[in-house]
Amino acid sequence: MHTITGLNPLDGNPIEVTVSDGIIHFIQSGRRDEDVWLSPGFVDLQVNGYLGYDLNLNEPEPEVVTSLTKKMIASGVTTYLPTIITASESKIIAALRAITTARRHSEILAGCIPFMHIEGPNISSMEGFRGVHPVEHIRPPDLAEFARWQDASGGLVGMVTVSPHFEGIEEYISSLTALGVHVAIGHTHASAEQIRKAVNAGARLSTHLGNGIANFLPRHPNPIWAQLAEDRLTAMMIADGHHLPADTIKTMVRAKGVERSILISDAVALAGMPAGTYDAPVGGRVELQSNGRLNVAGTECLAGAALPLKDGVARAMTMTGISLGDSVRMATENPGKFAGGAGIMRVGMPADLVRFSVESGGTGLRIERVLTRGKEWQ
């Protein structure tokens, strides 16, 4: 821990700050404010939508991507991966084209979206494991289809989530990895041996580990244990308090270590919206509860996440007992390694900064100000 003095990069006023655990604590104008911090902008590797803006519409418009990006920035996320779930090829391509068009017309937006994440359609079709992904569109991996995705996006599909149970998946994974694409394991009923082979072929991430999986599993040989034990896999986790109980996420972070743990939101379009019953492209008829839990109507099946990453940062601290610095690292530097090196404060890097305080009770962060590429984007 050490103290430095200078000018506040957000408002130009004299400031004294303490650097602690990789983030900055403000002491401004001689007044100590115990709750104000500055960190790199958050990096979210899995965003389906937010505050009513949905990337999984049948024909999304580029304006949806622009509006979504502004809302993400306001929540403290300065880098994110638009995530398209299992769908027909034509629907996936329509979404890719909309995102690509939006990036082309905005330098800031292009900086916020380094590439896209496709979650599926090469996942388990089994009940429970597939979650709310439409079973009719689940299919085996196909390099020709992947090439068409890249043609539609200008080569901007940079992450793909697959289940390693498919025949020929190792060749698919190794081919994508050779192109620089990050391959994640998720929504899978694969055996431990199939998971190990996928990792040998180049898979390096686990998509929302502990979710997208059946409620009842064998005690010992199951996909969760196999992924926790594999040191080459970095685990993405949803820390909203609904997808993973506190004991579970605490154990997962201990098993992977902070350095191989990433926080994601997995936010859908209903995230941040008022409680109620909705018809949604992801999950169909769904119920959003006042505590942020989103279920398929009449069931306990989760239909995506409804809280932003900033709240996951606070809740991960509360649930696991890790420090604020470690929780922020799991939402900045760690995911940034899979998003073009974002999520760090270093000379020569884009000035993506978020100033925040921790809400009482540790259930969320209060975002005070955000800089994206050194500017506020209105």
Side-chain angles (χ1 to χ4, degrees):
M1 179 184 295
H2 61 280
T3 300
I4 57 176
T5 59
L7 296 180
N8 185 343
L10 295 179
D11 59 23
N13 291 323
I15 189 168
E16 179 181 311
V17 299
T18 299
V19 181
S20 175
D21 203 13
I23 54 178
I24 296 175
H25 176 226
F26 280 81
I27 308 169
Q28 185 163 331
S29 302
R31 180 180 64 84
R32 182 176 295 272
D33 187 335
E34 295 294 341
D35 294 319
V36 180
W37 300 87
L38 183 73
S39 82
F42 302 136
V43 180
D44 198 337
L45 301 183
Q46 193 163 354
V47 176
N48 306 282
Y50 183 50
L51 282 174
Y53 297 103
D54 201 330
L55 296 171
N56 287 280
L57 299 172
N58 286 326
E59 294 288 342
E61 296 292 334
E63 290 75 15
V64 169
V65 183
T66 301
S67 298
L68 169 62
T69 303
K70 290 181 178 180
K71 297 297 184 183
M72 295 302 299
I73 292 172
S75 75
V77 172
T78 56
T79 303
Y80 76 102
L81 303 189
T83 302
I84 304 161
I85 73 159
T86 299
S88 66
E89 182 176 342
S90 61
K91 184 175 177 178
I92 290 174
I93 285 177
L96 291 174
R97 285 176 173 159
I99 298 164
T100 302
T101 299
R103 287 180 83 258
R104 189 180 302 126
H105 290 98
S106 169
E107 183 178 347
I108 292 180
L109 195 147
C112 293
I113 301 175
F115 48 80
M116 285 86 101
H117 175 186
I118 298 187
E119 183 189 2
N122 319 132
I123 59 172
S124 175
S125 62
M126 295 177 64
E127 194 71 24
F129 295 96
R130 67 178 174 86
V132 295
H133 287 239
V135 66
E136 65 272 20
H137 293 305
I138 291 173
R139 50 194 182 271
D142 182 352
L143 284 171
E145 181 177 2
F146 178 80
R148 292 191 290 271
W149 296 346
Q150 293 295 54
D151 286 344
S153 67
L156 287 173
V157 176
M159 183 177 292
V160 176
T161 293
V162 301
S163 170
H165 75 278
F166 288 102
E167 183 177 351
I169 192 69
E170 293 164 66
E171 179 185 356
Y172 186 77
I173 292 172
S174 62
S175 296
L176 267 57
T177 300
L179 295 171
V181 176
H182 301 299
V183 177
I185 295 170
H187 286 281
T188 184
H189 65 273
S191 67
E193 181 61 23
Q194 289 170 327
I195 289 171
R196 279 192 291 272
K197 288 181 177 180
V199 176
N200 289 339
R204 288 294 177 267
L205 289 158
S206 296
T207 292
H208 49 50
L209 186 61
N211 298 113
I213 200 160
N215 285 331
F216 298 100
L217 297 168
R219 285 181 304 167
H220 297 145
N222 67 55
I224 296 177
W225 290 121
Q227 291 178 80
L228 280 176
E230 178 50 73
D231 289 339
R232 291 171 290 178
L233 286 175
T234 294
M236 297 188 280
M237 307 173 201
I238 306 170
D240 61 358
H242 306 297
H243 281 75
L244 296 172
D247 287 347
T248 302
I249 192 169
K250 185 174 185 177
T251 301
M252 287 180 172
V253 171
R254 284 182 174 178
K256 302 306 292 189
V258 168
E259 67 276 7
R260 291 195 303 274
S261 298
I262 288 174
L263 297 177
I264 58 170
S265 70
D266 195 21
V268 297
L270 293 174
M273 299 292 282
T277 302
Y278 295 85
D279 289 312
V282 178
R285 192 72 170 168
V286 297
E287 295 173 340
L288 177 60
Q289 301 175 16
S290 59
N291 63 0
R293 184 181 176 96
L294 182 66
N295 292 340
V296 174
T299 77
E300 290 300 310
C301 178
L302 289 162
L307 292 175
L309 183 58
K310 68 181 183 67
D311 294 343
V313 171
R315 294 181 186 214
M317 258 200 318
T318 302
M319 291 192 290
T320 67
I322 61 176
S323 68
L324 175 60
D326 280 344
S327 192
V328 167
R329 190 169 298 114
M330 289 162 55
T332 55
E333 181 180 353
N334 290 3
K337 294 173 184 175
F338 298 91
I344 59 173
M345 286 191 284
R346 183 177 298 161
V347 175
M349 292 292 292
D352 293 339
L353 302 171
V354 56
R355 176 171 165 158
F356 65 88
S357 58
V358 181
E359 293 180 353
S360 176
T363 58
L365 301 183
R366 186 180 302 107
I367 303 301
E368 297 195 356
R369 201 165 180 187
V370 184
L371 293 185
T372 306
R373 278 61 184 167
K375 301 178 181 178
E376 289 184 286
W377 192 32
Q378 302 297 332

